[in-house]
Amino acid sequence: MKPGTVAGPIGAGPTAAGVAGSCALGAWTAFGVLSMVVVGHDGVPLSPDRGLLAWSVGHRPDTAVAFARGLTATGTGVIAYALAVLAGIIAGRTLRQRTLAVALCLACLGVGQSLRYTVMSLVARPRPPLTDWQTHASGWSFPSGHTTTAALTAGLLIIAVRMRGPRGGSLFVLVVAVWGALVGLTRVYLGVHWFTDVVGGWLFALGWLGVCLCAAARVRLRQPAPGTPSPNPQRGTTAETGPPPTRPDTAHERTLTGRERTHTAQERTDSGHEREEHRAPNDPGRGGRSRPA
């Protein structure tokens, strides 16, 4: 494994963190600009808002309205959180990884909804006229809650599928992306949101997903990859390198040392014999006293 890359269900390498950070920065910038435009107009609908709402009111057959109501109901409540759990299960490979991934997906969705509600309360944009509504709605208008929730859920599912197999699941990804976009459009079609509310929800969801993915990738980068050698407290060695290698000439040196010692001992023995030979004639203990001739 190359340095700087990680393995696991949550996050990828530094490339994923950089891409996610760039997407988050671009989405938040666009969302900030759109929010300032909405606030600068005191919540008054812009030109695209009026045109799309007028078209929706003029094209509402019963079948289309029923389909839009059923589809818009999937963008909130239990269904969204169930899909977030599914995303966590898809992302993980082991039980521990899936548990962690499910917790992160639920946290991403829950915190994202809370932040969206805070922004909605601060902007306080009125909804379209009540006479144009074809479903129930509550709260302020910008950004759209159903749109944000559906986009977050769709994004989590797409990320999970791509993490399991970057080249697989293209049809599933396409279906999920279309579902997330259609939920937002049904809010305009049913007359409970302006089109810029839906665009704001898409941008908010994209920015928040980028923040979560970037944070997860950076956390994974700080953790050692599987198989990385850990320091060994004994003798400063590592688990991978093991003890210091034996010098190739150690055995040869030991042989030479033994020979030198044997040679030294032999020299000492020879020297002792020579001293005894020189000392023997004059040794009173062996030859006695010498008599004159």
Side-chain angles (χ1 to χ4, degrees), residues 74-86:
T74 63
T76 186
V78 179
I79 296 178
Y81 281 90
L83 293 176
V85 171
L86 177 62

Side-chain angles (χ1 to χ4, degrees), residues 241-255:
T241 58
T246 305
R247 294 177 56 185
D249 57 345
T250 301
H252 182 62
E253 290 181 357
R254 290 178 180 175
T255 303

